[in-house]
Structure formats: C-alpha cells, structure tokens
Amino acid sequence: MKKNMLLIAVFLSSLNVLQAQKLDIIPQPVKIEQKEGTFIIPSSVQIFVDKKIQKSADYIEGNFFKNTGIKPIVSIGKGNKRDGISFLVDEKINLPNDGYELNVTKKGVLIKGKSTNGVLNGLQTLLQICSAKEVKKGTIPFVKIEDYPRFEWRGMMLDVSRQFFDKQTVKNYIDWLAAHKMNIFHWHLTDDNGWRAEIKSMPDLTLKGAWRGPGEVLLPSYGSGNKRYGGYYTQADMKEVVAYAAARGISIMPEIEIPGHSRAVTAAYPEIGCVTTQETKSVQGEVKNVWCVGREENYQILDSIIREVSEMFPFDYIHVAGDEVNRANWEHCPKCQALMAKEGFTDSFQLQNYFFRRVQTIVDKYHKKTNGWNEILKGGEINPNTLISAWQGINYGIESAKRGYETIMMPGQYTYFDMAQSENERGHRWAAITDTKRAYSFEPIPDSDLTPDQQKLIKGVQGALWSEYLDRPTRFVEYQSYPRISALSEIGWSKKEDKN
Ligand code: TNX
C-alpha cells in the first residue's frame, strides 16, 4: 500500500513537471506566464474570426486542423462563446505594432492583435503550443502571453533565377516563414541565369530569357546541364502568391535586378545592353550582363517593367538591386561615354548613380519606394526615402544609417544561408562558413558610434538564399534554410536580453 502511494506520488509529481515544463516557442515571446491546468478543445470547437481578418479565415481553419486534428466550426465576426477560440483585432491594446495577447483559460482561447498581422502572430504561437511535443493532443495549457516584435522588418530572400522554384514550392516557403512570424518575402525574380516574372510589354523576357540549354538564348549553368531548363511565373501566378502570402501576414517585395546581373535581359533583347568595344566579365563571370545607361529607350522599357511590377505587388517597396555592376562595360561603350561627357562625370560610379536616380523617378511615379543593395550609396546622392539592403557586411549597414537611410541588415557573413554550414558541405563560402550558432550570434544593432536616432533607421533584418548550389540534392532548399531561419526569426523578433 505504502509502495503504491509512493508510486502514485511520483507519477503525480511527474505530471506536474510536465505541466510546468517551459513551452518552447520560436521566436521566444516577450512575456509568457504559464498556469496550472489545461483547456480541453471540444470536438466541435467554434472559432470566431474578426471580420477585419476575414481573408485569413481559411488559413486559420486549415492550420488549426493540421496542428490539433480537430475540425473547427468557423464563423466570421466577434463571437465570445464559452469554450470557443476568438481571433480579434483591437487597435487599442497597449502593445507595439503587430503585437498580440494570447489568453488560454478554462473559458477558452482569446487572441487579440493590435493589427491583423498581430492576430496572425498570435495564431502562430497558438499553433506551436498545440503541436508541441510536451502538450497533450487536443489540449492547450493555460497560458497568458504578451508579445510583440523587436523589429518591424523580418525578411527572407529567395533567388528563383539560378534555380527555378515553382509556385507551390514558393508557397510552401512562405508558409514556413509565416510560422516563424517573419513578415517580408523578398522575391529575387531576375538575374543573369533566368528572368522569372512575366512582363506583358516585354514578352521575350520570359519566352526567351527564362530558359537555358541547347538552342536557348542562355547557356546552361548551375547544374542545368544538357537540357532545356527554366520556367517563369505568369502575372496571374504572382498575384496568386501575393494573396496567399497576405493571408499569412507576409508582404512580398519583388526584386528586379538592374542594371547588372542582367544577362537574361540582354540575351532576350540584345539592344538593351551596351555595344562595347571590348568584352569584360562580371564578378560571376558573365559577359554582356549590364543595361546600357546611355540608351534613352531603356528608360521607357524600365518604365513599363516597373509599371507592370507595381500593379502586381501591392507592397510599398520595389527592390531594384544595383549590386555588382560590371561598370567596365560602360567604360567601353560609346553611348555611355557620350553620356558621361555630357553630364561631366569623371568616374563610372556616377553613371551608376545617374541610372539609379532615373529608375527612382520611375518608381516614384508608380507610388512606390525603392530598395537597393548597398552599392547604390556610391557615386552621388539618392532619394532620402531609399531603403538600403546592407549585404556586404555590418559596416555597410552602419555607413548607410549614418548617412540617414533606412537600412535592412543582411550581412552575408551571418544571414546568407547559401553559405555552407560546415567545412565539408556544399554551399558558398565567400562570406563565411555559417552554422546555426554563428547565424544566431548576429546582432543587428552593432556596438558602434551610431546615435539613437541612427539606430532607429535600422528597420530590421533579413536572410538570403541564393540558389547557385541549390540544384541538388532534393530538398537542399530546406536543408540550407532551417534551422538558420529559426535563428534569424528570433533575432528579428525577440528581446536582445532574452537571447539564449
Ligand atoms: C552575391 S548578394 C550576390 C549574388 C550571389 C551571392 C552568392 C548580392 C547582392 N549579390 O548575386 O548569388 O553573392 O552568395
């Protein structure tokens, strides 16, 4: 009898330990209070979705089912029934942007978001709790969470040019970002090795420029071998992906790579490139991969491309690149030289700046803001509302903030997940060998002499997955992305002092 009592006592205390076990949520929430007891999800649980977040109702329903095995009855509106689960938008709650409160009690579950994205952030926390291995299926431990992001911009870039990833793969990628409370998907749609976005006024960009292989305008590259390789997204596809992402709280920033990394463009429309007296190679060994700055018609073409892109993507920003431009091309081009002379320029960075400012005027015309890689800081002034993606190193981000530009920190040395994760693995290594620990060690607001106001210009963090090496093995995309994106999500979201 005594022995039995002892066993029961041990059993009960182990249950308690289980109950009290810390919920591991990624990214780590700001404030989490666990309480004794659990809410048992009724088999026909009711979910109420605020009208303001109606567009996400299917997503909420589907993912709740996936993570709990319980099919909910969903209604739109502000319900607050006992044993129900409510998703409410409440701008008045006292939390920073995109914050949320999650309350699980014996009465049910209430998620209140400061914004629609706040509600979705709360949903992700709920889903992680429901599927945690410590939590008994069909139950939710009592908990009170107050949570909000450290940075407003938590992004991830995917290069779909060097390798093409179909619409479904991109959607899956977005799903995983959403699960990590990331809010920006930077879609690198064009590069030397394939143009992936249908532009109706320039059909050959995709009819020709999206394909490489025998008899195609582009040579095989990055493992595409002796076959026709490529693909592109129609405008309908891109709009569909935009809506898919929006329902998950993710904005898509398209990138149109100009004026460099443009071999796919000049292969489809040779007249867009310079007529050079000497052929020179870009950093990645490409020839003829630069837009001619001196050809006036090119700016009309850019106008139509940017117009079509801005019609498809509702996000505020368009990324227009500006990195690794092989300016030697312009130095051997009579039209570019004539422009240089006319403008009184003495070095080719000024041409780059000229090009960028013309592009910026077009982007402004379509009511968008420009984002560019840190090289656009060279050669002269640009619009003060330009957003800089600082990729070459932390110091480039510091310089950008010092010069007064809003800045996204994405140093290749920490946040390029195309970098190999250890000495013996496939992947780039030019920036670093980056394992998860190294990625996690990144601090976006570095110790430096930035003033508090300059620090505020650092809008957030972003990772990048360039796809030169992603041709094999299958699912290498996921292998390179995770868990490093999990680490990145916590850098972007959680409080610095909670990093562990
Ligand atoms: C540099 S990052 C590039 C890309 C490459 C990447 C590989 C940047 C703006 N340019 O074109 O794919 O390195 O890590």
Side-chain angles (χ1 to χ4, degrees):
M1 179 65 178
K2 251 192 180 162
K3 202 174 151 193
N4 280 350
M5 294 279 280
L6 191 72
L7 277 179
I8 291 170
V10 169
F11 175 69
L12 285 177
S13 71
S14 73
L15 272 187
N16 259 333
V17 169
L18 262 188
Q19 282 255 310
Q21 204 166 42
K22 207 177 128 262
L23 289 167
D24 278 325
I25 295 162
I26 295 178
Q28 171 75 32
V30 173
K31 201 162 137 205
I32 171 161
E33 261 175 74
Q34 280 176 253
K35 300 187 182 148
E36 199 80 17
T38 53
F39 168 69
I40 298 169
I41 308 170
S43 58
S44 54
V45 64
Q46 295 222 37
I47 287 187
F48 300 95
V49 177
D50 195 325
K51 212 170 173 325
K52 289 183 190 141
I53 189 174
Q54 191 169 9
K55 69 169 194 281
S56 301
D58 288 347
Y59 174 63
I60 294 173
E61 179 177 358
N63 272 272
F64 184 82
F65 177 58
K66 203 158 122 191
N67 286 274
T68 60
I70 296 168
K71 201 144 187 70
I73 300 159
V74 176
S75 24
I76 304 296
K78 289 191 179 128
N80 195 1
K81 210 174 143 261
R82 217 189 143 79
D83 286 346
I85 301 182
S86 297
F87 293 88
L88 286 180
V89 181
D90 181 357
E91 289 99 359
K92 288 198 279 297
I93 54 173
N94 188 21
L95 285 178
N97 273 344
D98 294 350
Y100 68 91
E101 293 170 357
L102 165 68
N103 222 330
V104 184
T105 64
K106 62 179 193 297
K107 288 194 227 141
V109 180
L110 176 61
I111 292 178
K112 268 193 199 173
K114 176 101 178 167
S115 58
T116 54
N117 274 8
V119 175
L120 291 167
N121 290 326
L123 166 74
Q124 297 303 346
T125 298
L126 180 71
L127 295 176
Q128 281 195 34
I129 295 175
C130 290
S131 58
K133 65 177 184 305
E134 302 82 15
V135 172
K136 189 166 169 270
K137 266 261 133 86
T139 72
I140 312 176
F142 293 158
V143 68
K144 188 169 186 235
I145 295 179
E146 238 183 61
D147 200 12
Y148 53 88
R150 179 176 173 203
F151 291 104
E152 67 180 278
W153 184 294
R154 302 173 307 282
M156 185 66 205
M157 189 217 79
L158 180 66
D159 166 10
V160 296
S161 173
R162 275 62 174 266
Q163 311 294 335
F164 177 63
F165 301 108
D166 64 16
K167 190 170 66 180
Q168 188 54 49
T169 307
V170 173
K171 285 181 175 176
N172 296 346
Y173 207 77
I174 286 169
D175 271 323
W176 278 96
L177 296 182
H180 285 81
K181 303 188 176 81
M182 309 270 283
N183 63 348
I184 309 284
F185 175 61
H186 171 172
W187 207 354
H188 185 79
L189 287 162
T190 76
D191 212 304
D192 290 315
N193 317 93
W195 180 286
R196 309 287 176 216
E198 180 191 31
I199 300 295
K200 294 195 168 148
S201 58
M202 299 286 287
D204 284 349
L205 286 173
T206 45
L207 292 179
K208 291 184 180 170
W211 305 96
R212 54 196 201 229
E216 301 299 330
V217 293
L218 290 172
L219 297 174
S221 56
Y222 301 122
S224 66
N226 194 30
K227 59 178 194 300
R228 183 173 196 250
Y229 176 88
Y232 66 92
Y233 313 103
T234 63
Q235 295 206 347
D237 287 337
M238 287 180 279
K239 286 182 190 157
E240 184 185 320
V241 176
V242 165
Y244 185 90
R248 285 148 183 77
I250 291 190
S251 300
I252 301 191
M253 174 173 66
E255 180 182 349
I256 300 299
E257 176 74 268
I258 44 173
H261 284 267
S262 294
R263 183 65 194 124
V265 174
T266 61
Y269 294 97
E271 63 280 14
I272 289 177
C274 298
V275 180
T276 50
T277 50
Q278 193 181 317
E279 213 158 71
T280 58
K281 282 191 175 153
S282 73
V283 185
Q284 271 127 15
E286 299 285 345
V287 293
K288 299 196 185 99
N289 76 339
V290 187
W291 285 63
C292 180
V293 194
R295 182 175 187 259
E296 192 53 33
E297 297 91 313
N298 280 357
Y299 300 98
Q300 281 140 37
I301 295 171
L302 286 166
D303 187 295
S304 64
I305 293 174
I306 291 168
R307 174 179 49 76
E308 291 190 42
V309 170
S310 52
E311 280 163 8
M312 283 184 280
F313 293 92
F315 189 50
D316 294 348
Y317 286 94
I318 296 185
H319 202 296
V320 288
D323 64 306
E324 297 180 328
V325 182
N326 178 15
R327 286 165 292 105
N329 217 76
W330 298 335
E331 287 154 16
H332 301 290
C333 164
K335 277 190 190 163
C336 295
Q337 288 303 307
L339 177 65
M340 254 184 112
K342 183 173 153 231
E343 296 288 331
F345 295 154
T346 49
D347 98 42
S348 54
F349 274 122
Q350 290 171 295
L351 276 182
Q352 179 171 309
N353 174 260
Y354 171 93
F355 179 85
F356 187 76
R357 281 188 289 115
R358 298 259 335 234
V359 167
Q360 199 147 43
T361 310
I362 301 168
V363 173
D364 284 353
K365 176 175 159 195
Y366 295 109
H367 310 292
K368 299 285 184 187
K369 293 191 271 187
T370 36
N371 186 188
W373 300 110
N374 56 242
E375 285 98 318
I376 62 172
L377 291 172
K378 293 187 185 156
E381 288 311 307
I382 48 177
N383 220 325
N385 74 355
T386 310
L387 178 64
I388 305 295
S389 307
W391 69 281
Q392 283 174 309
I394 293 172
N395 286 340
Y396 291 83
I398 296 177
E399 188 208 331
S400 163
K402 277 193 182 161
R403 286 179 52 184
Y405 296 105
E406 287 196 301
T407 303
I408 305 301
M409 280 288 195
M410 46 184 312
Q413 297 80 359
Y414 295 91
T415 70
Y416 271 22
F417 302 146
D418 46 314
M419 294 300 136
Q421 311 192 56
S422 71
E423 284 297 341
N424 304 318
E425 288 176 68
R426 287 189 83 215
H428 274 295
R429 0 177 77 68
W430 65 261
I433 302 280
T434 305
D435 60 8
T436 302
K437 197 170 168 194
R438 181 183 165 82
Y440 192 59
S441 74
F442 173 56
E443 168 49 38
I445 306 209
D447 281 333
S448 68
D449 54 351
L450 289 179
T451 65
D453 279 344
Q454 288 167 340
Q455 289 182 11
K456 281 199 203 105
L457 292 170
I458 298 176
K459 259 167 98 86
V461 289
Q462 200 174 275
L465 188 59
W466 300 95
S467 58
E468 288 94 332
Y469 288 103
L470 300 183
D471 56 313
R472 71 188 151 85
T474 322
R475 312 206 63 180
F476 198 48
V477 176
E478 286 93 331
Y479 181 76
Q480 291 297 93
S481 296
Y482 292 95
R484 288 185 289 188
I485 291 180
S486 309
L488 178 70
S489 78
E490 198 149 304
I491 295 168
W493 182 281
S494 307
K495 283 179 138 167
K496 188 180 169 186
E497 48 282 19
D498 289 345
K499 226 169 140 187
N500 166 6

